[in-house]
Amino acid sequence: MKLAPKGLEPDRALRKILPRSLFGRTLLIVVLPLVLLEAVALQIFYGSHLDTLSRRLAGSVAGEIAFVLDQADQYPATRRQIYANAAYRFEFAFHFHPDATLRPRRLPHALGPVDTDLARALTAGLGRPFALVWHGPPGMVRVDVQVSNGVLTVDVPRKRLYIGALYIFFAWLGGSTVLLLGLAILFLRNQVRGIRRLALAAEAFGMGRDTGPIRPEGATEVRRAGTAFNRMQDRIRRFLAQRTAMLAGVSHDLRTPLTRLRLAIAMLPADVGDIAGMASDINEMERLVSLYLAFARGEGAEQPQQTDLALLIEEVAARTARGGAAITLDIAELPPVVLRPEAIRRALANLLDNAARHARQIGIAAAPEGERTVRVAIDDDGPGIPPERREQMFRPFESGSASGTGLGLAISRDIIAAHGGEIRLDDSPLGGLRVLITIPI
């Protein structure tokens, strides 16, 4: 057993995580450095500037509260005056609750490191039980401190604990991220739109749907690709038109002598040679000429249109059944399919004629496969084709019998491929050959 290199396993895992579209990958290239840059800026702000200033502000507030409490403990007679002076100097608000007991509270969380810094500073500076209430009076942080004869409540202005530029910094950080992300998305959508339209036009043109020239848009390289695609379409159209005109002339030139031969044979006396055999040979020659020209001409100038594929299959099957073939149909409800009906009719007729030539029983099944594909299976009970020869049977003039021309499968494959579909050969449950066709809706 061949083992994959170890270095490929992380690469496969990474490919599963990364977006598959060009828009997603390009946006990731833009967003990832932006996020990393802002993460570094935020870490520097938190790790140095914000964290240091927060500890200093919390330590200052805790030291002032500890100073007031120490003064009140030393001079209990002037405690009220000490609280009044501290309120004026430090912008604190004091409320004394005599004979009260401090109720334990959970320390809440606040934006930034200020909550833990203040709790740590009060623990180190007060040396007595306390509780923090962050959702107290508006604009205040309440500190309840247990004193000897009650509970002292100190309301500290939040501005004493927060840095003035904190919210501005976060607003700038978030606003710039949203703005840059929005500009990146708008720009990338405009760039990807041109590539997406080019891809859709190329796919439609490859399926034989002539949607006309596209309007080049986007970056210079994308516009250049769109212009080159339009020139390519124009060259292919001119080539097909010239080839069709040439083949029409060849068809006329080949049929003219055959028509003269047919007339000459018709004027011969009835007792001269095998007139019926000669007429049959001329009919066979006309059929072969038509078949070769159909192969060389391909799809001609027929334009795709919305077609009832189920009805088309039934019509072709009925025509083949009139020749004596036993055909059973199993056709599910099919959605309308955009295709060249006469070309698909010719491809199905070739396949059914091949099956009728080698088998007694033919089965046709058709059903949707997924949301964008129709699957058609043609089974027969004939001798089949060995697996090693199935691919070469699609080559022109490769016949599996002496009576065949070797063009039926080649023409059918060209027609199906021109519609963006696939055709392959497999074993049939009837014992012969199965032809599987997939056509995009």
Side-chain angles (χ1 to χ4, degrees), residues 60-372:
S60 175
V61 169
E64 291 167 358
I65 294 176
F67 172 76
V68 173
L69 292 178
D70 290 341
Q71 290 294 312
D73 289 342
Q74 292 181 13
Y75 307 100
T78 60
R79 179 180 292 141
R80 187 180 298 274
Q81 185 62 36
I82 292 173
Y83 292 158
N85 292 338
Y88 174 76
R89 181 177 179 182
F90 303 133
E91 299 181 351
F92 294 162
F94 293 90
H95 307 280
F96 181 69
H97 307 283
D99 301 327
T101 303
L102 182 67
R103 292 181 300 172
R105 300 171 185 260
R106 293 181 59 188
L107 294 179
H109 295 284
L111 179 63
V114 62
D115 51 356
T116 55
D117 288 341
L118 181 58
R120 190 181 298 114
L122 290 173
T123 301
L126 296 182
R128 64 186 76 195
F130 69 91
L132 289 173
V133 181
W134 289 93
H135 305 288
M140 295 288 186
V141 177
R142 175 159 291 179
V143 183
D144 293 330
V145 183
Q146 183 71 59
V147 295
S148 58
N149 55 347
V151 174
L152 178 64
T153 298
V154 185
D155 290 333
V156 181
R158 284 179 176 265
K159 63 181 182 180
R160 293 288 310 276
L161 296 167
Y162 285 96
I163 303 171
L166 177 62
Y167 295 105
I168 298 177
F169 174 77
F170 280 109
W172 172 83
L173 199 65
S176 61
T177 302
V178 173
L179 178 62
L180 292 176
L181 186 60
L183 291 176
I185 291 175
L186 182 62
F187 175 76
L188 290 175
R189 285 184 63 184
N190 290 334
Q191 298 304 310
V192 173
R193 186 186 298 119
I195 301 175
R196 186 180 295 114
R197 287 183 177 178
L198 178 60
L200 293 176
E203 183 179 4
F205 189 72
M207 295 169 62
R209 303 173 186 177
D210 190 357
T211 58
I214 63 173
R215 181 171 62 89
E217 59 180 342
T220 303
E221 293 80 3
V222 180
R223 290 175 179 269
R224 190 177 301 165
T227 303
F229 176 76
N230 288 336
R231 289 199 296 264
M232 180 197 69
Q233 282 192 107
D234 188 57
R235 287 194 296 268
I236 292 176
R237 290 193 197 98
R238 289 201 304 268
F239 168 75
L240 291 176
Q242 293 171 359
R243 192 184 70 167
T244 302
M246 182 191 68
L247 291 175
V250 171
S251 175
H252 178 269
D253 293 342
L254 289 175
R255 283 193 171 94
T256 299
L258 290 177
T259 303
R260 289 200 299 264
L261 285 174
R262 185 187 298 277
L263 291 175
I265 291 174
M267 296 174 62
L268 290 175
D271 58 347
V272 177
D274 186 7
I275 296 179
M278 289 188 288
S280 176
D281 290 340
I282 292 176
N283 291 333
E284 181 66 17
M285 290 173 65
E286 286 187 336
R287 187 183 71 83
L288 291 176
V289 168
S290 300
L291 193 61
Y292 295 152
L293 290 176
F295 173 73
R297 185 169 56 246
E299 306 233 11
E302 185 185 8
Q303 294 299 317
Q305 56 183 290
Q306 200 171 69
T307 306
D308 186 347
L309 183 58
L311 179 60
L312 191 149
I313 293 173
E314 291 174 357
E315 292 175 355
V316 177
R319 184 194 67 81
T320 306
R322 285 196 294 269
I327 300 178
T328 58
L329 298 177
D330 181 14
I331 302 177
E333 183 176 354
L334 302 178
V337 185
V338 177
L339 45 78
R340 293 185 174 96
E342 292 304 319
I344 293 294
R345 189 189 306 274
R346 184 164 69 247
L348 293 175
N350 289 341
L351 297 175
L352 289 179
D353 288 343
N354 285 344
R357 191 179 301 116
H358 300 95
R360 293 172 298 177
Q361 183 69 34
I362 302 173
I364 305 176
E369 188 174 54
E371 297 181 355
R372 305 192 60 182

